[in-house]
């Protein structure tokens, strides 16, 4: 086989593989992650506007059974007093896993607050009847470690 035919075969194979993998990423990954990203984006929008009741309303019933709105608002205000106001964040990772109680998603963010320029936030969500509900929140920053 001549070098030209080998090259053309390589280009066709590379293009085919590109289409296959790009299609999988868009169709499987993108559509599956879009509802999760929507919930987390809503969380950060509510956090920025200090709409703690709206965040509370988006929590899993299991969490609400252990912490009422007043307790949750107090928790969020403690975070605000220590970290300052939420400014911006960047999604770093999303992992979706099956569990006996349904799918869960773990979403990690790097966030910037007015008093903390280095805060890691992990949001855990559960898929309940095709609706992603916040199951847990974890804030980690040097400022929080100092205040303990």
């Amino acid at each position: 086989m001549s070098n030209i035919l080998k090259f053309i075969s390589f280009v066709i194979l590379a293009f085919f593989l590109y289409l296959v993998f790009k299609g999988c990423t868009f169709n499987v990954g993108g559509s599956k992650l879009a509802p999760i990203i929507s919930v987390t984006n809503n969380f950060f929008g509510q956090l920025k506007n200090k709409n703690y009741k709206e965040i509370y309303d988006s929590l899993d019933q299991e969490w609400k059974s252990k912490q009422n709105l007043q307790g949750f608002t107090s928790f969020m205000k403690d975070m605000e007093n220590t970290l300052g106001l939420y400014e911006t964040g960047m999604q770093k990772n999303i992992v979706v896993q099956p569990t006996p109680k349904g799918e869960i998603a773990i979403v990690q963010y790097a966030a910037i607050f007015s008093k903390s320029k280095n805060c890691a936030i992990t949001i855990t969500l559960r898929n309940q009847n095709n609706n992603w509900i916040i199951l847990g929140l974890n804030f980690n920053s040097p400022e929080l470690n100092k205040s303990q």
Side-chain angles (χ1 to χ4, degrees):
M1 193 190 267
S2 74
N3 287 340
I4 293 174
L5 287 175
K6 287 180 183 177
F7 178 74
I8 291 172
S9 297
F10 174 77
V11 169
I12 291 171
L13 178 62
F15 181 71
F16 175 76
L17 291 173
Y18 170 79
L19 289 176
V20 168
F21 288 113
K22 184 166 178 59
C24 289
T25 301
F26 270 120
N27 295 334
V28 177
S31 65
K32 185 170 185 146
L33 299 180
I36 298 167
I37 294 168
S38 176
V39 171
T40 56
N41 285 346
N42 184 56
F43 166 79
F44 284 107
Q46 301 300 340
L47 181 63
K48 190 170 199 141
N49 294 319
K50 301 197 280 185
N51 293 329
Y52 303 137
K53 182 186 181 321
E54 285 78 6
I55 295 172
Y56 183 79
D57 290 343
S58 68
L59 300 179
D60 183 74
Q61 281 304 121
E62 196 172 316
W63 185 339
K64 290 179 186 177
S65 71
K66 296 174 183 165
Q67 185 177 43
N68 63 21
L69 175 59
Q70 183 179 7
F72 180 76
T73 301
S74 176
F75 163 73
M76 294 304 292
K77 286 183 178 180
D78 287 346
M79 292 293 108
E80 181 185 327
N81 288 336
T82 303
L83 301 174
L85 298 175
Y86 172 74
E87 294 176 356
T88 188
M90 181 178 76
Q91 176 191 310
K92 295 182 76 176
N93 192 26
I94 298 178
V95 176
V96 179
Q97 298 176 327
T99 71
K101 290 186 174 184
E103 282 184 310
I104 63 165
I106 300 167
V107 187
Q108 297 173 324
Y109 282 85
I112 297 174
F113 291 80
S114 59
K115 296 179 185 177
S116 176
K117 304 305 179 195
N118 183 21
C119 183
I121 299 177
T122 302
I123 303 173
T124 305
L125 301 104
R126 181 185 315 184
N127 188 346
Q128 292 180 339
N129 303 320
N130 292 322
N131 290 315
W132 288 93
I133 309 295
I134 296 175
L135 187 60
L137 296 171
N138 182 285
F139 292 77
N140 188 5
S141 80
E143 289 74 17
L144 288 170
N145 294 333
K146 289 177 198 173
S147 69
Q148 292 179 355

